[in-house]
Amino acid sequence: MSQTFTWQAGPATLTFDCADDQPVGLAELRLGAAAAAFPFRTPIAEVMTTGTGHVLSCNKLTHTVIGSELRYRGHETADQGTRHELRVALADDARGVEAVVRYEVDDAAAMVRTDVTVTNAGDAPLQLDSVTSWTSTLGVPQGGDQTPDLTAWDLMEGRSDWPAEGRWARRPLNYLLPPIAQQITKVDPRQGYQVISSGTWSTGMNLPLAVLESQAFGLAWLFQIEHNGAWRWDVQDDTADAAVALSGPTSENHGWCRILESGESFTTVPASFTLATDLGAAVRNLTDYRRAVRAPHPDHAAVRTVFNDYMNTIYGDPTTAKELPLIEAAGKVGVEIFVIDCGWYDDSGDWWPSVGEWMPSKTRFPGEKGIVEVIDAIKAAGMVPGIWIEPEVIGVKSPMADKLPDSAFFQRHGERVVEQERYILDLRDPAARAHLDSVVDRLVTEYGIGYFKFDYNVSPGAGTDLDADAPGDGLLGHNRAYSAWIEDLHRRYPELILENCSSGGMREDFAQTGRFEVQSTSDQQDWKLYPAIAAAAPMMMLPEQAANWAYPQSGMTPEETAFNINTTFLGRFFLSGYLNRMDPDQLALVQDGVASYKAHVQPVIGSAMPFWPLGMPGWFDDVLALGLDACDRTLVTVWAREAKGGEVRLNLRRWQGRAGEVTTVYPGEGFEAWPVRWDAAAGELVATVPGGLYAARTFEVRF
């Protein structure tokens, strides 16, 4: 017997179809202004076990035997304030497997979060090899007469490397999934496009977020896996329609399994998705979602400016003599937070393998007060003191390597895991957590630290098999324990600001960015390359989180200094460089950048929407642009990198037909003005960029 049921929650309406002889499938979806129908469906949960496998032999996350046999057993809803939840209960009675698919929607965002809980309702152990967090076919516009068409879709995905983050590319889906005459075989093809990340650098190579857009259908899917460890997403050809499947770690790809005894349950990592009319609308939904569901913090409204002493400056060799002049200069230009980066704890001169105890060096900070002299100087200059630590590792030469028990560390086959002279702490272990709690407590209460930069410069491979069904199972447990530890820090210290730096931008997933106030975007040291990273950053994080480095130096020309400042201007203002070596004119240019940021960006960035007036930036593009749409005004930064010069037309079509007033907000007086005008009829900002040099400007258009 076939039936449908509909769940309406805030901006979302989901209609499901189920039958006694069919798994539950999504039949219709509306999110805000976008709506799709699904003539062909995939089960809403797919469960792979060692004892069941696939219906069709393949290495897809879908087409599992249990997925095809799960049947509808009921659903329930719950509302709590602006949050709404649907739970769909499923069961494969013959195999004793139960599953609950959970959907969550917030009134403020046309985006759905989902996860799946599997329970062993049988008597024998159940060995899970993979469980999807979300699956769906791509569908067609609701109310039309179109049929599913794989050739109508493009896939936009990103790659990251150290330090080359956020390189996005768009390709036709049928380039990845070519036509192979599967109608002759009369079975679904095995082909699929799989994107996989292992270890704990969740964005170290591939990104857990992607977009499928069909201009012909006027639809765009955006999906993400919200996990700070191993993950996989697939786009696949199922003959009748293409489909998407998302998951955390799997047996095949990550050495993961979970053995459920009778009555035990496992919940997948969360995923989220939105459907919109185009890429721009999908990014707006995503930005709304990030702001609606992230951990609350007073810094969201403040978005204070930061100076960090590391990049192209002290490079992990801090001393009192080096820090005090930088602190004085940073205070003069108006910075609000000053961060002492790595090396502050090291007496040996080799800070890398000695990390872990986090006691201030006495040789780097001599005198009666030690490092307190530096921290007091930061406070006296009107800034919040910040400090760098790498909490998840213990150097092999650290005193803590012997003080902590073996159970506090990642292990495989009874031996501690070592990666580049570091042991990796296992946050499932009470001794590991107690050590980190004592470190943070001491630095906050004894030294008055108000900002932490948490780094993570190694990745432990498959994971740990200690107290785990497999190394990937231990890794997943640690990933979740680390997130819980971050949440506990915020409960204990509500004002404490946390920056997520994982060797630059190697961990930009939403499990991290949803819990941290600031997100490092890269360790890129070449100011000429950084704009491509900075311009792309809001795809992976909120603009107000994006810590793009600006590191002007005394030997730079005014244009080069302004170029640096503009790279950080439409994100979290994040400054380094030897400010103390600058002449008064150079220092004034930096000071003007900080003041302009506070006047024009700081008041609006926490609610502004990112957009790309020239499309997504390319690594080799001569001209790049990033915009922030802020209600009655738009801010746009344009970088020219040895461009040919000439007129550039920037797409601001949301404002088409409206009168607008254009000003250059940075740099100001003393710089050659770029010819710029607002073309209301076309909805374009028209700027003439110079040729043959590196220069950048940030414009404001008021409507």
Side-chain angles (χ1 to χ4, degrees), residues 443-466:
L443 292 171
V444 172
T445 58
E446 292 185 22
Y447 299 104
I449 298 299
Y451 180 108
F452 279 96
K453 176 181 177 179
F454 284 174
D455 210 341
Y456 191 49
N457 288 303
V458 298
S459 184
T464 175
D465 59 15
L466 180 67

Side-chain angles (χ1 to χ4, degrees), residues 111 134 209-212 220-224 272-276 279 282-283 286 290 539:
M111 193 158 182
W134 176 64
L209 181 152
V211 178
L212 282 157
W221 289 99
L222 185 151
F223 56 83
Q224 64 177 357
S272 52
F273 64 88
T274 187
L275 181 71
L279 171 62
V283 172
L286 173 68
R290 287 170 172 164
M539 278 296 291

Side-chain angles (χ1 to χ4, degrees), residues 195-529:
V195 179
I196 297 162
S197 180
S198 59
T200 49
W201 281 338
S202 57
T203 60
M205 291 180 62
N206 302 309
L207 300 183
L209 181 152
V211 178
L212 282 157
E213 182 176 21
S214 171
Q215 294 180 351
F217 287 162
L219 295 174
W221 289 99
L222 185 151
F223 56 83
Q224 64 177 357
I225 302 166
E226 302 181 3
H227 183 48
N228 54 354
W231 53 261
R232 169 179 165 180
W233 60 261
D234 294 3
V235 181
Q236 62 193 37
D237 179 1
D238 283 347
T239 304
D241 196 1
V244 182
L246 314 183
S247 80
T250 70
S251 174
E252 179 180 4
N253 304 112
H254 308 105
W256 176 87
C257 76
R258 174 63 64 85
I259 300 172
L260 299 181
E261 301 295 335
S262 180
E264 289 185 336
S265 299
F266 167 76
T267 300
T268 67
V269 304
S272 52
F273 64 88
T274 187
L275 181 71
T277 54
D278 58 26
L279 171 62
V283 172
R284 290 192 292 274
N285 290 350
L286 173 68
T287 305
D288 282 337
Y289 172 81
R290 287 170 172 164
R291 289 186 174 128
V293 306
R294 64 180 168 174
H297 195 280
D299 181 73
H300 298 334
V303 194
R304 281 169 281 183
T305 54
V306 179
F307 183 95
N308 180 296
D309 68 27
Y310 181 84
M311 189 64 76
N312 294 5
T313 311
I314 289 182
Y315 279 138
D317 188 26
T319 65
T320 300
K322 291 178 180 179
E323 294 285 10
L324 293 181
L326 281 174
I327 292 166
E328 181 182 6
K332 285 181 179 178
V333 300
V335 167
E336 295 155 293
I337 297 168
F338 188 100
V339 181
I340 304 166
D341 211 281
C342 55
W344 58 270
Y345 47 84
D346 177 63
D347 283 321
S348 69
D350 185 12
W351 64 264
W352 182 271
S354 62
V355 298
E357 189 175 31
W358 309 115
M359 298 297 293
S361 167
K362 295 180 180 179
T363 59
R364 293 180 180 276
F365 308 103
E368 184 178 345
K369 297 179 69 176
I371 198 174
V372 173
E373 180 181 358
V374 174
I375 293 171
D376 284 350
I378 295 171
K379 295 175 183 177
M383 296 181 288
V384 174
I387 208 161
W388 175 100
I389 67 171
E390 198 168 350
E392 293 164 86
V393 301
I394 299 289
V396 296
K397 296 181 180 179
S398 170
M400 297 309 300
D402 296 324
K403 292 179 180 179
L404 288 170
D406 284 339
S407 62
F409 298 95
F410 273 46
Q411 298 181 45
R412 288 198 288 271
H413 309 294
E415 186 174 354
R416 288 187 189 181
V417 174
V418 177
E419 182 67 11
Q420 198 177 344
E421 298 185 285
R422 268 91 177 276
Y423 300 119
I424 291 91
L425 284 177
D426 186 342
L427 270 290
R428 298 176 301 164
D429 185 75
R433 292 195 303 273
H435 165 61
L436 292 185
D437 282 341
S438 68
V439 168
V440 173
D441 290 346
R442 172 168 44 83
L443 292 171
V444 172
T445 58
E446 292 185 22
Y447 299 104
I449 298 299
Y451 180 108
F452 279 96
K453 176 181 177 179
F454 284 174
D455 210 341
Y456 191 49
N457 288 303
V458 298
S459 184
T464 175
D465 59 15
L466 180 67
D467 296 328
D469 292 334
D473 179 45
L475 180 62
L476 176 59
H478 162 76
N479 297 141
R480 288 173 158 167
Y482 178 72
S483 294
W485 180 67
I486 296 297
E487 292 171 359
D488 185 60
L489 281 187
H490 280 316
R491 279 191 292 270
R492 292 193 290 127
Y493 301 108
E495 303 288 329
L496 188 65
I497 301 170
L498 299 181
E499 174 194 339
N500 177 40
C501 173
S502 296
S503 203
M506 300 291 94
R507 198 160 50 167
E508 294 179 350
D509 60 87
F510 190 64
Q512 294 287 107
T513 62
R515 292 177 170 89
F516 284 76
E517 290 69 60
V518 183
Q519 172 65 52
S520 170
T521 61
S522 186
D523 280 347
Q524 177 53 249
Q525 293 176 242
D526 188 338
W527 59 270
K528 298 176 181 179
L529 295 177

Side-chain angles (χ1 to χ4, degrees), residues 165-166 524 526-537 548-549 551 563-564 566-568 612 617-619 621-626 637-641 694-696:
E165 293 83 353
Q524 177 53 249
D526 188 338
W527 59 270
K528 298 176 181 179
L529 295 177
Y530 215 126
I533 298 169
N548 303 305
W549 290 94
Y551 26 68
F563 191 99
N564 267 269
N566 273 311
T567 295
T568 197
W612 292 271
W619 190 255
D621 287 355
D622 295 334
V623 180
L624 307 100
L626 172 65
T637 297
V638 182
W639 296 266
R641 302 192 294 182
Y694 284 79

Side-chain angles (χ1 to χ4, degrees), residues 1-193:
M1 181 177 179
S2 181
Q3 61 176 311
T4 63
F5 63 93
T6 297
W7 178 55
Q8 198 283 322
T13 303
L14 287 74
T15 298
F16 298 87
D17 181 67
C18 53
D20 294 341
D21 60 347
Q22 294 291 330
V24 177
L26 184 64
E28 294 182 342
L29 170 67
R30 177 176 291 277
L31 285 172
F38 306 92
F40 301 94
R41 296 152 200 162
T42 189
I44 61 173
E46 294 275 11
V47 180
M48 170 78 80
T49 70
T50 304
T52 56
H54 291 94
V55 174
L56 168 70
S57 183
C58 61
N59 62 351
K60 296 180 178 181
L61 292 169
T62 59
H63 294 277
T64 64
V65 169
I66 291 177
S68 68
E69 295 297 329
L70 287 170
R71 296 293 180 264
Y72 174 74
R73 292 295 181 263
H75 69 275
E76 59 183 19
T77 62
D79 301 299
Q80 185 172 3
T82 63
R83 300 280 176 87
H84 312 281
E85 185 175 274
L86 167 70
R87 292 177 176 266
V88 183
L90 312 170
D92 176 357
D93 294 330
R95 294 170 182 81
V97 178
E98 296 176 350
V100 174
V101 184
R102 188 183 69 91
Y103 302 89
E104 181 184 287
V105 172
D106 190 284
D107 286 341
M111 193 158 182
V112 182
R113 174 182 272 175
T114 180
D115 57 43
V116 177
T117 299
V118 176
T119 300
N120 181 4
D123 296 325
L126 183 72
Q127 181 167 307
L128 300 177
D129 287 341
S130 68
V131 184
T132 56
S133 299
W134 176 64
T135 62
S136 179
T137 51
L138 301 189
V140 296
Q142 197 176 98
D145 57 359
Q146 294 101 326
T147 58
D149 181 6
L150 183 148
T151 68
W153 296 88
D154 291 340
L155 174 68
M156 191 178 81
E157 61 175 321
R159 277 190 61 86
S160 282
D161 286 292
W162 181 84
E165 293 83 353
R167 306 190 319 275
W168 292 87
R170 184 184 186 110
R171 289 180 288 182
L173 190 54
N174 66 344
Y175 172 83
L176 301 168
L177 304 174
I180 55 174
Q182 60 262 37
Q183 70 276 9
I184 299 175
T185 67
K186 296 183 173 58
V187 296
D188 282 337
R190 293 178 179 141
Q191 70 174 346
Y193 181 67

